[in-house]
Amino acid sequence: MSTTPEELRAKMVQIAGRYLDRVTKEVIQLRGMIDSAAGGDLAVVREIETLTHRMHGSGAMLQFNEIAERAGELERMAAGFVAAGTFDQPRMLDVFQQLQAAIEKALAERSASTGLQP
């Protein structure tokens, strides 16, 4: 028994929806982590790197390109901060806000195409 193209598309829509639900929650967590890292805790910056790495990879795989790009930028920024032993919260918040806007845009597009509430 093989999967039809329609079934495959429906499954991808479902997976994409779960991804958007997950990153919507993770972006709240990420903001708290950025605030915590402002005190210079590089362990938190490593956690930011890990979280944004996952957001970046999954987003790219599911073709949420704008989300993936911003998350990737945050991932690289966090890695650079860890390597340098410093943290620049204002710089990270700027990209964070771009990530948040990309997520909101993807949610709005999902809502418009499926009739679901964001």
Side-chain angles (χ1 to χ4, degrees):
M1 179 195 240
S2 65
T3 304
T4 67
E6 293 79 23
E7 290 171 329
L8 189 55
R9 271 191 288 282
K11 187 69 171 169
M12 289 305 295
V13 167
Q14 189 179 52
I15 292 168
R18 284 197 307 260
Y19 171 78
L20 288 176
D21 291 343
R22 189 186 86 214
V23 296
T24 299
K25 293 173 187 157
E26 287 176 341
V27 79
I28 296 166
Q29 178 186 2
L30 181 58
R31 176 57 201 247
M33 292 165 79
I34 292 170
D35 290 343
S36 293
D41 187 347
L42 293 179
V44 176
V45 180
R46 284 186 198 93
E47 290 177 31
I48 291 170
E49 182 182 2
T50 300
L51 177 60
T52 54
H53 174 80
R54 188 173 63 239
M55 292 171 89
H56 174 211
S58 299
M61 187 173 57
L62 293 168
Q63 298 182 351
F64 288 108
N65 298 328
E66 195 172 348
I67 294 171
E69 289 170 14
R70 296 295 77 76
E73 190 174 349
L74 286 170
E75 176 189 2
R76 290 184 298 277
M77 189 180 294
F81 291 152
V82 168
T86 62
F87 182 71
D88 184 345
Q89 185 188 29
R91 190 168 143 218
M92 186 163 267
L93 280 175
D94 182 51
V95 180
F96 168 82
Q97 289 168 346
Q98 294 171 35
L99 171 63
Q100 194 170 28
I103 293 168
E104 290 170 5
K105 179 180 171 187
L107 286 168
E109 289 170 356
R110 174 183 174 214
S111 177
S113 69
T114 63
L116 297 175
Q117 293 297 315

